[in-house]
């Protein structure tokens, strides 16, 4: 129920007051084993720093000065401030900020009902994979990819920009079990790359050119599936003429890949009819959307209808969210522009749950300054006193998924899981708090008081899933409907009319990356965290700056030296770790650690630019820095 890609099926039980967890051996995808994060969930559940009573701020924002309060007093204060904001500044001055800290359908979506009912502003999500979602819709009309259970019929999988061994371990194991050949395309030699049959190491932002180079070879050497292309591709001849204009010499220089390597990839990919698992990380850049568009054409060239693994999101959760309670259209605030809207005075009341934006959003100095200097009342509902909670006026203790009823689907597979409570320690669920707040506001609307089970039953019914079967088995597979390409032409569009409607080229384009500073900063997730989750309980955090030995020598930096990493957004101090896994011109910091623990996180440096034509998607990895050595 965390924001995990695999959505493991777990068996949980409490003995002598202690929680234990194990993988469910009956689940066909997660197969009875847990990743290291999952195995340590009991430590997280029993953590001594879990929030217990509600807190009301008494000192300056970020000072950590709070007093305990009863639930009645805390909810009463939140209701009063919410009512005042609406009366004095209008409903659109209120923003509910949430994301995927909890994958449960009820605890993800149900609180949104209250804010829809109040006609508040809503978040326009752009932080994660928005660029890829838009790009895949440009080509296929959908971002929903191949069912991973169909891997058994494949021979080659390419992990493109995803460290699967860390972030999709069950998917990696599934590919191994079916004896697929595994390739990796990435900027960094990750653990996945080291365990792959082949690794193609490219430079940042050059994904689009590498994919186009592969397409060029496949087309010009006649290696594509001619019957499939003729019947199912829109704009193939135009695309063929486009890639003809691209020079392999230029592609080789920009990507760092030899012409021979591009050719090997193209010929063997075509011969083995490869499929591609498209990652999220590389698309969080100014070039991300264009890269996904280029990558997405490759499986279609070799005859796959949906030859990419990307996203499942198999069930319709709209009933749980309750947008039908609105009486006017929602004002949408781009997720990456939270600081800007606070600075402009457009947000007066901010309600945060399932998220830790003061760890996960970019340009943290700007965001923290905005919260301190502007008149905005902040409420956070969380399990721990996170960095976001420290900057809040009221902090409401949350419980964990071990303590409540819910269901969850998966990013990766087509199974929906039942989540049953096994214990009750502290805090209240997101849905419980929503009902308390609705009652304190004097709202009578029945949809705000439905029980969790009622909501779950209705969601399942709308998706053709039996509640009784789910209760019996613990998980069920979502029925798959006949799939079509939802593009203007009804075909896979190599010449994308949807992209043109947003002012983009019909073909993916490469833009040479440029920055004010000499080093490109990449900020992937650490194996033991999910963005900022678990930093306070799991430990084992790697806060080193990874830098290529050539870049380190140029700056007189040796392995283990204290260094300062800096740009116009901020400065942090850490230790250098010299590594050939990181190419020259690139440095790496793991992302979103808790500032209250470490004193900094990588988002004090990351760029808060967005890509407007790809849904205001994030551009974390279009961050440039420099590094200097420090004494001591």
């Amino acid at each position: 129920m965390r924001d995990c890609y695999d959505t493991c099926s777990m068996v949980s039980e409490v003995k002598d007051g202690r929680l234990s967890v194990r993988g469910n051996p009956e689940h066909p995808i997660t197969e009875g084993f847990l990743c290291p994060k999952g195995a340590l969930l009991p430590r997280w559940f029993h953590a001594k720093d879990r929030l217990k009573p509600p807190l009301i701020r008494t000192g300056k924002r970020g000072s950590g000065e709070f007093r305990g309060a009863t639930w009645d007093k805390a909810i009463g204060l939140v209701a009063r401030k919410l009512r005042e904001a609406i009366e004095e500044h209008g409903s659109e001055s209120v923003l509910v900020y949430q994301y995927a800290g909890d994958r449960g359908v009820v605890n993800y979506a149900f609180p949104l009902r209250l804010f829809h009912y109040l006609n508040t502003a809503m978040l326009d999500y752009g932080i994660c994979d928005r660029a890829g979602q838009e790009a895949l819709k440009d080509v296929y009309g959908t971002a929903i990819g191949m069912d991973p259970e169909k891997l058994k019929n494949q021979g080659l999988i390419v992990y493109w920009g995803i460290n699967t061994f860390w972030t999709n371990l069950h998917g990696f194991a599934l590919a191994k079990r079916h004896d697929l050949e595994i390739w990796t395309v990435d900027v960094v030699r990750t653990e996945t790359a080291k365990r792959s049959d082949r690794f193609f190491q490219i430079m940042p932002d050059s994904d689009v050119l590498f994919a186009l180079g592969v397409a060029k070879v496949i087309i010009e050497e006649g290696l594509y599936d001619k019957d499939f292309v003729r019947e199912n591709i829109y704009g193939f001849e135009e695309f063929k003429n486009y890639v003809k204009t691209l020079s392999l010499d230029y592609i080789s220089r920009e990507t760092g890949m030899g012409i021979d390597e591009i050719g090997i990839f193209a010929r063997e990919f075509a011969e083995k009819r490869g499929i591609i698992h498209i990652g999220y990380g590389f698309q969080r850049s100014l070039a991300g959307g264009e890269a996904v568009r280029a990558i997405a054409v490759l499986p279609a060239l070799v005859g796959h209808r949906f030859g990419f693994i990307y996203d499942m999101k198999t069930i319709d959760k709209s009933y749980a969210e309750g947008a039908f309670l609105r009486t006017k259209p929602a004002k949408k605030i781009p997720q990456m522009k939270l600081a800007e809207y606070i600075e402009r005075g457009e947000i007066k009341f901010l309600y945060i749950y399932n998220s830790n934006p003061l760890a996960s959003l970019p340009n943290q100095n700007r965001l923290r300054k905005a919260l301190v200097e502007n008149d905005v009342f902040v409420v956070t509902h969380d399990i721990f006193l996170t960095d976001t909670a420290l900057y809040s006026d009221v902090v409401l203790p949350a419980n964990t998924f071990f303590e409540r009823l819910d269901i969850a689907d998966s990013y990766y597979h087509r199974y929906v899981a039942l989540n049953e409570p096994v214990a009750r320690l502290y805090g209240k669920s997101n849905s419980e708090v929503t009902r308390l707040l609705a009652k304190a506001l004097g709202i009578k609307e029945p949809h705000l008081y439905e029980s969790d089970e009622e909501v779950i039953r209705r969601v399942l019914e709308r998706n053709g899933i039996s509640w009784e079967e789910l209760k019996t088995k613990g998980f069920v597979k979502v029925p798959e409907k006949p799939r079509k390409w939802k593009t203007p032409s009804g075909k896979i569009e190599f010449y994308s009319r949807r992209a043109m409607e947003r002012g983009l080229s019909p073909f993916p384009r490469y833009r040479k990356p440029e920055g004010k500073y000499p080093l490109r900063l990449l900020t992937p997730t650490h194996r033991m965290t999910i963005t900022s989750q678990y930093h306070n309980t799991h430990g084992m955090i790697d806060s080193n700056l990874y830098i290529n030995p050539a870049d380190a020598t140029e700056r007189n930096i040796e392995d283990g030296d204290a260094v300062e990493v800096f740009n116009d957004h901020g400065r942090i101090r850490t230790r250098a770790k010299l590594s050939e896994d990181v190419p020259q011109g690139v440095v790496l910091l793991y992302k979103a650690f808790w500032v209250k623990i470490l004193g900094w996180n990588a988002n004090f440096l990351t760029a808060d630019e967005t890509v407007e034509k790809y849904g205001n998607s994030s551009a974390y990895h279009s961050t440039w820095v420099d590094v200097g050595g420090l004494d001591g």
Side-chain angles (χ1 to χ4, degrees), residues 9-24:
S9 180
M10 294 190 299
V11 179
S12 309
E13 57 186 337
V14 174
K15 289 183 179 179
D16 300 323
R18 300 297 298 179
L19 174 72
S20 66
V21 297
R22 65 183 187 276
N24 183 351

Side-chain angles (χ1 to χ4, degrees), residues 71-72 74-76 78-80 82-83 86 110-118 325 349 351 396 429-450:
W71 274 97
D72 284 346
I75 291 291
V78 173
R80 178 166 60 83
L82 177 54
R83 193 181 296 112
I86 292 172
F110 187 84
L112 298 176
R113 287 187 174 194
L114 173 62
F115 295 93
H116 281 307
Y117 176 85
L118 295 171
L325 296 171
F349 184 100
Y351 186 89
L396 303 173
S429 71
N430 297 336
S431 57
E432 286 178 293
V433 170
T434 302
R435 296 182 193 102
L436 288 175
L437 192 49
K439 183 178 180 181
L441 289 166
I443 300 172
K444 304 299 183 184
E445 168 56 53
H447 285 97
L448 299 181
Y449 299 97
E450 278 189 306

